[in-house]
Amino acid sequence: MPLILAALVLWAAGWTLNAVLANGPSCHTRPVRLAVPLIFGATLVVMWELVVRGAGVPAVILPPPSAIAERFAANLGLLWGDFTQTILKGAVAGYIIGNGAAFLTALLIDRSDWLRQGLLPLGNFMAALPIVGTAPILVMWFGFGWQSKAAVVVLMVYFPMLVNTVAGLAETSQMQRDLMKTYAASWSQTLWSLRLPAAQPFIFNGLKITSTLALIGAIVAEFFGSPTLGLGFRISTSIGQLDLAMVWAAIVTAALAGTAFYGVVALLENRATFWHASQRQR
Amino acid sequence: MTRIPPLLGVLAALIALWYAAVVPMNVQETLTQAQRAGAVVTPTEATARRDTSNLVLVASNLDHLGESWSLDRPRLPAPHQVVAELYISTIGEELTGRRGLVQSGSLSNRGLVYHALVTLNATFLGFLIGTGLGTLLAIGIVHSRTMDMSVMPWAIVSQTIPIVALAPMIIVVLYSVGIQGLLPKAVISAYLSFFPVVVGMVKGLRSPDAMQMDQMKTWSATSRDTLLKLRLPASTPYLFASLKIAIAASLVGAIVGELPVQKGGLGARMLAGSYYGQTAQIWAALLMAAGLAAVLVWGIGAIERRTLAKMGMSA
C-alpha cells in the first residue's frame, strides 16, 4: 500500500512540475519542450514499477520495468541476433525492394494515362487491405528464412508507396511544366529537375509510413514460421514459456528499432527537403 | 465512367498474370501426378526434378501441364479455384452443409460467414473503444497545454513502434486474468485505431482559425460552447479521414489478434489453412478479409459524404 501511495504522490508531483513548466514563461524553449515529455515518460515508468511491486502483480502478468531492463541487459547478444534476423535482413531488404519497385512502377504509370487510371484506384484499394494476411502464403512459398519476411514486407510497403509517389509526381502545376516545355526539356530532364524534387515531400511521407509497416510485416510473418531466432519468434516462444520479461525485452528492441528506423528516414527528409514549408520554421 | 475501361483492363491483365504464374508455381506437383497417371516426363526421377528450376520444367514438359489449374493442394491456386472455394465455404456451406443455416438454423462454424462475423464483431468493438478514447484524449490535449506537451510526443513516437508485436502478449495476459473471448482482440483493434484518431482529431480540433476563435471570445462563449459549437463541427472532415484509417487498422488488429487464440475468425482460418496446406482456404479467407475492408472503408466514406453534405461542407 505505501508503494501505491508513493506512486500517486509521484504522479501528482510529476504532473504539477509539468504543468508549471508547460504554462511557465520559458515554455517555448527547446530544453523545456524536451523535458516535459521526458518527465512524463519517466513518471509513468516509475509508477509502473511502484504499482507492480506495491500491488504484488505476478511477474507472469506484468513484470516491473526493472526486471525488463535486467533481462534486456543480460540478453543483449541474443536480442542482437534477433534484431539482425528480423530488422536488418527481413525488414530492411523488403523495405528497399518494395519501395524501389513501387518507385519504378510509379515512373512507369506516369508515362501512360491509361495505366494511371487503371492502376491508381487499384493501388488505393490495395493500400487499405489487410495485406498481413498474405504472410502464411508467403511463408509457405519462400520458406522459414528471412526471404519470406522480406516478401511480406515488399507486399506491405508497395501500395502505400506507389500511391504516394504517383500523387507526388502529379504535384507540379501546369505553369511549371509549360515552363520546362519552353526550355525544350525532355521527359527525363523535366523529371529530374522539376518533378522529382516537387515529389520529394510525398515520397518521404511514403517512406515514413512504410518504415513502420515494414517492421510490422517482418514481425507478424514470423508468427507463421521462422528459424529459431527473430523478434517475432522470441515474442511467441517467450509467451509460451510465460517469460514475460523476455517478451517485453523483445518489444523494447522492436520499439527502439522502429523509432531509429523512422528517425533515420525523418533525418534524410530533413536534409533533402529543407526547402519545403513543413520543414522550415523549426 | 471513363475510368472503368482502364480499370477492367488492368484487372484482366492481373488475372491473366495470375493464371500464367500458376503453371510454373505448381509444375512439380503437376508433373508428379502426370507421372503417376502413366505419362513420361522429362527428368524421370522426382529428385532430379526437384533440383531443376520450375521454368525449365515447364519448357520441357509442355504436354503434361493440363492439371496445373485443377490440383487438389496447389502451391498457388488458380483464381477460379479460389472463387469456387469462396462459394463452397460461404453459400454452399450454409445451403447444403450439415451444420449450415438451412439444416441447423444457425451459421455453420465451418463456413466463412461465421468466421467473418467473429472478426467483424471484434473489429467494431475495438473501433468503437479506440475512436472513443482517441477523441477524448484529443479533446484533453487541445484543452490542456500540459497534456499536449507531455502526451503528444509519445503519441507520435508510438506510431513508429510495431504495435502488433504486443498482440500475442495482450491476449495471453488478459487470458490469465480471466478475460477472454471478444475483448482481448478488441483491445488490439482499439490500440491500433486509437492513434490515427488522436492525431487526426487534434489537428481537426485546432483547425478553426484565430478569427473564428476570436469571434467565439467576443460572444464570451465558454470553452465548452466553443468545443461543441465550433471545434467539434470543424473537426468533422478530419474525423472521417482518420476513421477510414482506423477501421482498416482495426480489421488488421482483429485478424492478428486471432492468430494466438484459435477460436474462430478469419485470422484463425488463415493459420489453420497454413498448418494443413489448404492454400485455397487461405486465399478464400484473404479475399473475404479484403472484401470486408473494402465494405468497411466504403461504408465510412458513404457516411462521410452524407454528413458533410448535410453540414454544408462537401467539396
Side-chain angles (χ1 to χ4, degrees), chain B residues 21 36 49 58 85 87 89-90 106 121-122 130 140 158 170 172 179 183 193 203 212 217 223 228 259 267 311 315:
Chain B
R36 280 190 197 139
R49 280 205 300 275
V58 171
E85 166 73 22
Y87 177 83
S89 55
T90 52
S106 61
N121 275 337
S158 74
I170 292 175
V172 169
I179 302 169
L183 201 59
S193 56
K203 228 182 201 171
Q212 292 166 321
K217 222 169 254 168
S223 65
L228 289 179
L259 296 180
M311 293 173 72

Side-chain angles (χ1 to χ4, degrees), chain A residues 141, chain B residues 16-31 49-50 52-59 61-62 65 67-69 71 74-77:
Chain A
W141 287 355
Chain B
L17 196 68
W18 187 345
Y19 269 112
V22 167
V23 177
M25 283 299 282
N26 293 336
V27 68
Q28 303 272 1
E29 182 67 19
T30 315
L31 290 184
R49 280 205 300 275
R50 205 179 54 212
T52 327
S53 96
N54 288 344
L55 288 175
V56 174
L57 282 179
V58 171
N61 292 291
L62 285 176
L65 296 172
E67 293 294 303
S68 297
W69 293 325
L71 289 173
R75 281 180 79 198
L76 173 62

Side-chain angles (χ1 to χ4, degrees), chain A residues 6-129:
Chain A
L8 288 178
V9 171
L10 185 78
W11 171 255
W15 192 255
T16 318
L17 180 59
N18 266 356
V20 169
L21 279 177
N23 298 312
S26 57
C27 63
H28 287 294
T29 57
R30 210 183 153 82
V32 174
R33 296 188 74 93
L34 267 176
V36 171
L38 285 182
I39 293 173
F40 180 74
T43 317
L44 279 190
V45 170
V46 178
M47 274 183 67
W48 172 0
E49 178 88 31
L50 290 173
V51 169
V52 166
R53 288 190 186 281
V57 179
V60 289
I61 291 180
L62 188 66
S66 58
I68 297 166
E70 202 178 297
R71 190 59 59 91
F72 184 79
N75 289 295
L76 273 184
L78 194 67
L79 287 169
W80 175 254
D82 294 342
F83 170 79
T84 35
Q85 170 74 18
T86 307
I87 313 291
L88 295 188
K89 287 183 188 163
V92 172
Y95 181 77
I96 292 171
I97 299 172
N99 280 329
F103 182 74
L104 293 180
T105 321
L107 290 186
L108 192 75
I109 288 180
D110 183 60
R111 301 228 61 175
S112 142
D113 232 18
W114 193 85
L115 270 181
R116 179 164 51 219
Q117 285 172 0
L119 270 176
L120 211 54
L122 208 66
N124 272 318
F125 172 69
M126 294 294 283
L129 293 188

Side-chain angles (χ1 to χ4, degrees), chain A residues 227-282:
Chain A
T228 56
L229 78 171
L231 290 171
F233 167 83
R234 191 69 56 213
I235 290 170
S236 48
T237 47
S238 301
I239 286 177
Q241 302 161 348
L242 283 181
D243 186 358
L244 271 262
M246 192 67 210
V247 177
W248 278 100
I251 288 170
V252 168
T253 316
L256 288 178
T259 314
F261 200 170
Y262 190 90
V264 168
V265 177
L267 193 72
L268 283 179
E269 177 185 28
N270 203 326
R271 285 284 159 82
T273 62
F274 55 89
W275 46 269
H276 193 255
S278 65
Q279 300 289 334
R280 270 181 245 146
Q281 50 174 295
R282 258 186 240 169

Side-chain angles (χ1 to χ4, degrees), chain B:
Chain B
M1 280 300 114
T2 51
R3 277 167 47 184
I4 302 297
L7 191 57
L8 286 182
V10 168
L11 272 180
L14 280 182
I15 291 177
L17 196 68
W18 187 345
Y19 269 112
V22 167
V23 177
M25 283 299 282
N26 293 336
V27 68
Q28 303 272 1
E29 182 67 19
T30 315
L31 290 184
T32 310
Q33 290 208 356
Q35 196 175 34
R36 280 190 197 139
V40 182
V41 290
T42 2
T44 28
E45 300 85 29
T47 44
R49 280 205 300 275
R50 205 179 54 212
D51 296 332
T52 327
S53 96
N54 288 344
L55 288 175
V56 174
L57 282 179
V58 171
S60 52
N61 292 291
L62 285 176
D63 298 340
H64 306 299
L65 296 172
E67 293 294 303
S68 297
W69 293 325
S70 50
L71 289 173
D72 264 350
R73 291 188 171 193
R75 281 180 79 198
L76 173 62
H80 69 262
Q81 285 179 300
V82 176
V83 172
E85 166 73 22
L86 193 61
Y87 177 83
I88 290 169
S89 55
T90 52
I91 301 170
E93 176 71 25
E94 301 305 338
L95 286 184
T96 59
R98 192 166 53 79
R99 281 177 273 190
L101 192 58
V102 174
Q103 306 252 345
S104 69
S106 61
L107 288 172
S108 163
N109 63 353
R110 293 174 57 193
L112 263 184
V113 182
Y114 167 81
H115 291 284
L117 283 180
V118 170
T119 304
L120 214 52
N121 275 337
T123 307
F124 277 135
L125 185 59
F127 178 69
L128 287 181
I129 300 175
T131 43
L133 287 181
T135 312
L136 284 183
L137 186 67
I139 291 174
I141 285 178
V142 168
H143 281 97
S144 151
R145 234 190 111 62
T146 321
M147 217 159 150
D148 177 22
M149 286 181 76
S150 320
V151 179
M152 206 51 195
W154 291 108
I156 293 169
V157 166
S158 74
Q159 297 254 292
T160 69
I161 296 172
I163 291 169
V164 182
L166 291 168
M169 192 190 59
I170 292 175
I171 285 179
V172 169
V173 166
L174 288 181
Y175 185 85
S176 63
V177 293
I179 302 169
Q180 47 178 314
L182 201 57
L183 201 59
K185 289 188 277 180
V187 167
I188 295 163
S189 287
Y191 207 46
L192 283 179
S193 56
F194 177 67
F195 292 107
V197 174
V198 173
V199 175
M201 277 305 275
V202 166
K203 228 182 201 171
L205 291 173
R206 290 215 173 114
S207 64
D209 57 28
M211 196 107 80
Q212 292 166 321
M213 295 301 289
D214 284 349
Q215 176 76 79
M216 291 307 275
K217 222 169 254 168
T218 59
W219 285 332
S220 73
T222 59
S223 65
R224 188 164 153 267
D225 277 336
T226 314
L227 175 70
L228 289 179
K229 292 176 179 159
L230 175 61
R231 285 189 193 268
L232 278 181
S235 71
T236 325
Y238 294 86
L239 175 68
F240 278 110
S242 10
L243 286 188
K244 278 191 226 164
I245 303 174
I247 193 103
S250 286
L251 185 64
V252 173
I255 289 176
V256 173
E258 279 157 0
L259 296 180
V261 188
Q262 294 299 309
K263 286 211 181 117
L266 292 175
R269 187 88 170 176
M270 286 174 196
L271 197 60
S274 94
Y275 280 162
Y276 301 117
Q278 296 290 342
T279 35
Q281 187 186 322
I282 307 181
W283 281 96
L286 204 58
L287 220 60
M288 195 73 177
L292 280 186
V295 169
L296 290 176
V297 174
W298 175 84
I300 301 246
I303 299 173
E304 174 184 22
R305 277 191 299 279
R306 286 216 174 159
T307 316
L308 291 189
K310 276 198 177 164
M311 293 173 72
M313 281 201 270
S314 57

